[in-house]
Amino acid sequence: MTKHHQFDAIIVGGGGAGLEAALHASKSANVAVVTKLYPTRSHTGTAQGGIAAALGNMEPDSWEWHMYDTVKGGDYLVDQDAAEILARDAIDAIIELEHMGLPFDRTPDGKIEQRRFGGHTANFGEKAVMRACKAADRTGHMILQTLYQQCIKNKVNFFNEYFVTDIIVEDNVCRGVVAINVADSEVHLFHAKAVLIASGGFGKMFKVTSNAHTLTGDPVAAYYRRGLPLEDMEFFQFHPTGIYKLGILLSEAARGEGAIFINDKGERFMERYMPTLKDLAPRDICSRCIYEEVRAGRGIGGKDYVYMDFRPGTINKFKSGPGGRDVTREHLEKALPDILEFARVYMGIDPMKDPVPIQPTAHYAMGGIPTDADGRALADNTNVVTGLYAAGECACVSVHGANRLGTNSLVDLVVFGRRGGKAMADFCKPAGFAPLPITAAADTIAEFDRIRAGRGSERAAAIRADLQNMMTNYVGVFRNGPDMQKAVEGVRELKARFKNIKTDDTGKIFNTDVLETFELGCLLDLAEVTAAAALRRTETRGGHAREDFQERDDANWLNHSMAYRADDKRDAAVTRCDIRFENKPVTITKFQPKERKY
Ligand SMILES: Cc1cc2nc3c(=O)[nH]c(=O)nc-3n(C[C@H](O)[C@H](O)[C@H](O)COP(=O)(O)OP(=O)(O)OC[C@H]3O[C@@H](n4cnc5c(N)ncnc54)[C@H](O)[C@@H]3O)c2cc1C
């Protein structure tokens, strides 16, 4: 039996973006959050390093510098009107979080303390600036706890461990979502005037990734399957400092506090590549430099990794501490407790005594559901889908362009989560409920029945492993045409194998076997778009570095890409589908594209 619910506004996802939107929407609308994870288990809780805002508490700073850094960091693919909102509103959004009780670190005179992060500079690129507000290296955790408490206080309704499978859109009007209750596999229809998608990233398409197990982008795939476009999917960020082989993140906060990269010869190699910012250059650049060192045979022991060196002796020798000051072990233990603990637990290395092996790890989706600056989801380059919104990592506003700066995601969540939440509440006031189609849940029921009944010869785990290997090998830090072609064709073969799936657990109680198989179908769709969009873009820009097209090509490619399913009749996730691409112009206001040097 399908169960029905009705709320003014439904938010899909209980991470930072979802909770921020829920909190603001709930000031005037009846709101429910539908989330496959318990809210405080969302990936936002793992964000370590910080949240950017030009408060200027430590040294002079301004929102214009923050905006400039964001645009330049994104290799000029950023929509500058949105970046201006991000940088301006960040200041007020941080103060709002502070007033809600978020326990930020403090300076001795009681102001919010800030630290350096990659690509954030003073005076339009002159030197690194302290802009990241933080609560030790548990910033995301504190944001999530603070927002969740506020949502409870504001009487937001929560459907925790409800898995959204589909977005109901008819005649370009959003009418709600379909969800499965994880506990008993019952299908629930959520009828709403407005829906905001805040489902986070989808880094699980890669093998070496910092992303949590659940980051599979199901609602983003649902959007795409509805014939709606995904923007800039070729731009995926590889963070330079994943723990070797595991991909678990050691935050850039480490380098903000002075840690540096070292190659096999003991050289601080970033001095050669980026003389001004060195180890604090943006992530796409650092990741490429690491692989350049590896290719030149200067990886540790000739292997495919380098060291990150946290030892106070090294930091003080290279004068890489904040403001060139010496650091102590006590300071690092206080500023980076979780990061140091991760190295100890996962590598068995004490970073105070030995350097830590690191390699780039898939980290952040710059692309996703296209939106305007009020979170309204776009049906094409100009028109919105009535009543549908998106915010956070699943959305593409676009403030991150071709490469996101560290600490700019958390600020994106609060700034655009808040704007999206307010906009949907305003929309709900005069709006009525558009009727639900009778067949709203039919696709979900058919797909889950198919998966549960699957008696083929293919296992989801094996297909997922093949997908992740392929994406890491062929659509990674360095890319080239023939390899990406292999990825596009490879994903299509995996989709064919996915039709022949075998499921072991046929029950209804906490059936993660079936849910993870459904998630795999979503990852396959998103990986196909990612690989195809990357193959199509014949230039190097930000996180998209091509060996066969090494230059940025503004004449032809200063455009966002918009990917549509060519066949927008909704057939099952498993069908081979062709993709149609279009370009969307980049909004340029203050900063003309220039060469990107640090
Ligand atoms: C290890 C790590 C460290 C990071 N550190 C930083 C940092 O220091 N600073 C910074 O700015 N950024 C950082 N980032 C990036 C940033 O944390 C994320 O981009 C951001 O937290 C994403 O927030 P979100 O609200 O969009 O999604 P998430 O926090 O990922 O939440 C997604 C929500 O969607 C729900 N959901 C997903 N699919 C479904 C479905 N099918 N049905 C129902 N619900 C669903 C989940 O239950 C979850 O509640 C880091 C990321 C990682 C992985």
Side-chain angles (χ1 to χ4, degrees):
M1 266 297 284
T2 306
K3 299 207 166 108
H4 283 249
H5 311 265
Q6 200 179 58
F7 294 93
D8 292 338
I10 293 289
I11 316 271
V12 179
L19 295 181
E20 184 80 40
L23 180 61
H24 284 278
S26 66
K27 293 188 176 155
S28 66
N30 181 17
V31 178
V33 173
V34 183
T35 168
K36 72 177 177 181
L37 296 176
Y38 190 79
T40 50
R41 298 180 76 101
S42 304
H43 193 76
T44 297
T46 70
Q48 303 162 354
I51 174 164
L55 301 179
N57 285 354
M58 318 291 290
E59 53 187 338
D61 199 0
S62 87
W63 68 261
E64 278 107 333
W65 299 345
H66 185 189
M67 176 188 170
Y68 169 79
D69 292 336
T70 302
V71 170
K72 180 178 171 188
D75 220 350
Y76 295 91
L77 197 75
V78 169
D79 284 331
Q80 296 186 13
D81 49 350
E84 178 164 342
I85 293 172
L86 180 93
R88 270 178 188 272
D89 283 14
I91 296 166
D92 178 52
I94 297 287
I95 307 286
E96 188 177 86
L97 286 174
E98 183 189 32
H99 289 179
M100 286 179 202
L102 198 146
F104 283 114
D105 291 350
R106 303 273 165 192
T107 62
D109 56 352
K111 292 184 184 155
I112 295 175
E113 191 175 73
Q114 297 179 277
R115 70 171 147 225
R116 302 176 306 173
F117 244 80
H120 290 278
T121 70
N123 207 13
F124 307 107
E126 217 171 77
K127 62 174 181 92
V129 74
M130 295 184 225
R131 184 177 290 150
C133 311
K134 38 119 194 166
D137 55 3
R138 300 177 184 127
T139 314
H141 173 86
M142 296 304 183
I143 291 178
L144 216 44
Q145 300 290 333
T146 304
L147 290 174
Y148 186 51
Q149 289 165 5
Q150 293 294 317
C151 283
I152 296 291
K153 182 175 154 209
N154 241 30
K155 305 221 170 357
V156 172
N157 301 281
F158 280 93
F159 289 84
N160 298 331
E161 303 192 336
Y162 279 66
F163 187 114
V164 170
T165 54
D166 208 352
I167 309 166
I168 308 164
V169 179
E170 209 171 69
D171 300 328
N172 204 39
V173 177
C174 180
R175 294 140 196 264
V177 298
V178 187
I180 302 265
N181 181 355
V182 175
D184 59 12
S185 300
E186 290 284 350
V187 177
H188 291 247
L189 275 178
F190 289 88
H191 190 193
K193 296 176 182 173
V195 171
L196 183 138
I197 311 290
S199 59
F202 32 86
K204 271 299 176 193
M205 67 173 73
F206 294 96
K207 180 176 171 210
V208 177
T209 175
S210 68
N211 279 200
H213 188 67
T214 51
L215 290 175
T216 50
D218 334 309
V220 181
Y223 189 84
Y224 174 66
R225 289 169 185 175
R226 285 279 165 213
L228 298 166
L230 298 181
E231 183 171 346
D232 289 344
M233 291 288 284
E234 61 273 41
F235 294 103
F236 211 95
Q237 175 167 85
F238 295 86
H239 192 300
T241 59
I243 293 181
Y244 183 49
K245 286 196 172 158
L246 300 179
I248 294 171
L249 194 76
L250 298 178
S251 163
E252 204 171 298
R255 280 171 289 138
E257 299 291 352
I260 57 173
F261 295 129
I262 298 285
N263 65 14
D264 197 42
K265 296 177 141 182
E267 291 168 338
R268 184 187 187 188
F269 57 85
M270 286 307 296
E271 282 179 333
R272 253 188 284 125
Y273 294 97
M274 295 288 140
T276 308
L277 288 192
K278 304 185 182 78
D279 306 84
L280 283 168
R283 293 171 178 176
D284 55 336
I285 294 174
C286 290
S287 289
R288 283 199 285 280
C289 295
I290 289 171
Y291 277 133
E292 294 289 359
E293 290 298 295
V294 166
R295 284 175 170 186
R298 294 189 290 270
I300 307 302
K303 295 212 184 110
D304 57 344
Y305 66 91
V306 298
Y307 282 140
M308 183 156 67
D309 198 334
F310 294 72
R311 292 174 295 184
T314 311
I315 294 176
N316 298 342
K317 180 176 135 203
F318 283 97
K319 303 222 167 301
S320 57
R325 289 189 301 277
D326 279 1
V327 298
T328 60
R329 179 193 173 124
E330 292 66 38
H331 168 75
L332 293 176
E333 295 280 3
K334 187 160 165 271
L336 308 169
D338 277 3
I339 297 170
L340 299 176
E341 184 72 3
F342 286 172
R344 287 173 184 137
V345 169
Y346 294 109
M347 298 294 284
I349 289 177
D350 182 353
M352 292 297 116
K353 296 200 184 112
D354 294 298
V356 183
I358 51 99
Q359 92 188 121
T361 183
H363 183 58
Y364 184 85
M366 268 77 74
I369 297 174
T371 71
D372 69 8
D374 286 318
R376 297 186 298 170
L378 299 179
D380 52 38
N381 284 6
T382 42
N383 296 301
V384 302
V385 183
T386 306
L388 189 53
Y389 299 75
E393 188 170 340
C394 70
C396 181
V397 182
S398 132
V399 285
H400 308 305
N403 172 60
R404 170 175 75 78
L405 290 188
T407 69
N408 260 1
S409 172
L410 292 180
V411 72
D412 173 5
L413 310 183
V414 292
V415 166
F416 291 99
R418 181 165 78 161
R419 287 176 73 94
K422 283 182 183 166
M424 78 192 295
D426 288 345
F427 171 85
C428 285
K429 277 181 206 152
F433 284 89
L436 277 183
I438 301 168
T439 55
D443 291 329
T444 294
I445 292 169
E447 179 64 354
F448 275 79
D449 284 351
R450 182 189 79 82
I451 294 174
R452 200 176 283 112
R455 290 292 162 273
S457 55
E458 294 287 351
R459 302 286 181 162
I463 298 177
R464 185 167 49 238
D466 287 352
L467 173 73
Q468 292 170 335
N469 274 320
M470 203 167 61
M471 290 301 285
T472 291
N473 291 337
Y474 298 149
V475 199
V477 171
F478 282 107
R479 302 167 168 191
N480 65 68
D483 277 352
M484 288 188 287
Q485 189 73 52
K486 281 190 223 159
V488 172
E489 281 157 24
V491 177
R492 287 189 179 150
E493 280 162 28
L494 294 179
K495 284 180 145 189
R497 283 173 54 192
F498 186 66
K499 285 184 188 166
N500 189 24
I501 204 83
K502 174 170 168 47
T503 315
D504 291 319
D505 184 353
T506 55
K508 295 224 155 169
I509 309 300
F510 282 102
N511 192 335
T512 50
D513 194 10
V514 166
L515 287 174
E516 288 184 14
T517 304
F518 183 84
E519 288 175 336
L520 172 62
C522 299
L523 280 180
L524 285 168
D525 274 1
L526 299 181
E528 185 179 26
V529 180
T530 302
L535 180 61
R536 175 176 174 268
R537 185 177 283 270
T538 50
E539 65 159 352
T540 286
R541 184 187 296 274
H544 178 63
R546 286 190 68 147
E547 291 157 315
D548 44 358
F549 295 92
Q550 295 188 359
E551 301 298 319
R552 195 175 81 195
D553 177 1
D554 285 344
N556 293 302
W557 287 109
L558 187 57
N559 284 309
H560 301 290
S561 64
M562 302 281 271
Y564 296 79
R565 254 177 87 141
D567 171 11
D568 60 5
K569 286 200 301 300
R570 185 174 153 98
D571 37 14
V574 291
T575 333
R576 173 183 163 155
C577 61
D578 288 310
I579 303 166
R580 173 169 63 84
F581 284 100
E582 282 176 19
N583 289 335
K584 182 172 151 228
V586 176
T587 308
I588 294 174
T589 56
K590 287 191 158 81
F591 304 110
Q592 287 303 318
K594 283 201 300 224
E595 202 192 339
R596 208 163 144 247
K597 282 208 171 128
Y598 287 94

